[in-house]
Amino acid sequence: MNIILFGPPGAGKGTQAEFIVNRFQVVQLSTGDMLRAAVSQGTELGKMAKAVMDAGDLVDDAIILGIIGDRIAEPDCANGFILDGFPRTLPQAEGLDSMLAEKGLKLDAVIEVRVPDQELFSRIEKRAAETGGARADDNAETLKKRLEVYHSQTAPVLPYYQDKGMLKTVDGLQTIEAVTAEIMTILEG
Ligand code: AMP
C-alpha cells in the first residue's frame, strides 16, 4: 500500500503516519525527517538545506525528488510506503508520478488532514514547548512563512489528486483517535 499523507505543518501527519505504519507494515518516508537527519549529520545536503528550512522555505524540487527516488528503491519499501511531507509542489507530484510509473508502482490513497491556520499556531507553540525548541522552524514567525508556503505551493497539489479522483479529506480538528479511525476506514475501504 502506497499512501500520501497531506496537510499543513502541525496537522498531525507524523502522528497519524505512525499508526498507519503499525497497522499496514509500510515504511514512513518523511522528507522533513530525512532533511533534519542530514542537517544533524552535517552532510553536504544538510548544510545546503539548513538555511532554507530555518527560513520556512522549500528545498529544491530536484533534490527532494532525488532523495525520494533513492529511498523508494530500497528493499524495505517493497511492502509499501507512506509519504509524509512529500509531494509539496506540483513538480514534485508530477515527478513522483513518473517515478512510480517507471517502477511499476501506483498510489493507493491520498489523504489530506485539514486544520485551520489558527489552530496550527497553538499546536506548533505546544510542540516547541514540549520538545524544548528542538526544531528551529517551530516558532510563530517561521510557522507563518511555512503556512504561506503551504497555501501558495503545496495546497495547489490537492486539485491535482482530486482530478484523478484520489483525494480524501479528513477533519484534523477531531481528536487524534477520531482522525485515526477515519483514516483507517478510508484505507480499509
Ligand atoms: P516538515 O518536517 O515536513 O514540516 O519539513 C520541514 C522543512 O523541511 C520544510 O519546512 C522544508 O523546508 C523542508 N522540506 C520537507 N519536505 C520537503 C519537500 N517535500 N519539499 C521541499 N522542502 C521540504
Side-chain angles (χ1 to χ4, degrees):
M1 174 152 358
N2 302 319
I3 307 156
I4 295 178
L5 203 53
F6 239 97
K13 298 187 296 289
T15 304
Q16 296 299 334
E18 273 182 43
F19 293 125
I20 299 170
V21 164
N22 291 334
R23 176 75 66 95
F24 297 101
Q25 270 77 56
V26 292
V27 178
Q28 177 186 1
L29 304 182
S30 156
T31 41
D33 284 351
M34 292 177 203
L35 292 169
R36 278 185 287 278
V39 170
S40 65
Q41 286 157 15
T43 65
E44 283 309 308
L45 167 67
K47 282 180 204 155
M48 184 281 307
K50 187 177 184 327
V52 178
M53 293 169 76
D54 286 353
D57 265 318
L58 292 182
V59 174
D60 183 75
D61 286 334
I63 292 173
I64 297 286
L65 282 165
I67 296 175
I68 285 286
D70 288 347
R71 189 62 190 86
I72 62 179
E74 286 179 31
D76 64 337
C77 287
N79 194 41
F81 46 81
I82 171 153
L83 298 167
D84 160 7
F86 171 90
R88 247 176 163 101
T89 64
L90 223 35
Q92 289 183 19
E94 289 162 354
L96 173 65
D97 268 353
S98 347
M99 213 183 279
L100 292 176
E102 257 173 45
K103 298 185 196 309
L105 298 172
K106 66 175 183 60
L107 288 170
D108 297 283
V110 180
I111 300 175
E112 175 200 8
V113 182
R114 192 177 287 176
V115 179
D117 288 4
Q118 197 47 50
E119 166 75 9
L120 299 169
F121 277 96
S122 46
R123 288 192 187 181
I124 294 285
E125 256 174 34
K126 201 166 153 240
R127 181 163 80 186
E130 282 169 2
T131 59
R135 276 185 63 164
D137 58 352
D138 272 353
N139 61 76
E141 197 190 326
T142 310
L143 177 62
K144 196 159 165 280
K145 173 70 181 173
R146 287 157 72 199
L147 287 176
E148 276 169 26
V149 168
Y150 181 78
H151 291 299
S152 62
Q153 299 191 54
T154 305
V157 181
L158 293 170
Y160 178 82
Y161 291 110
Q162 196 156 29
D163 290 348
K164 294 174 187 282
M166 297 193 70
L167 183 68
K168 297 275 195 301
T169 299
V170 172
D171 175 7
L173 280 178
Q174 305 175 92
T175 60
I176 291 177
E177 294 76 15
V179 173
T180 308
E182 260 194 55
I183 291 176
M184 294 307 169
T185 305
I186 292 168
L187 296 179
E188 283 158 2

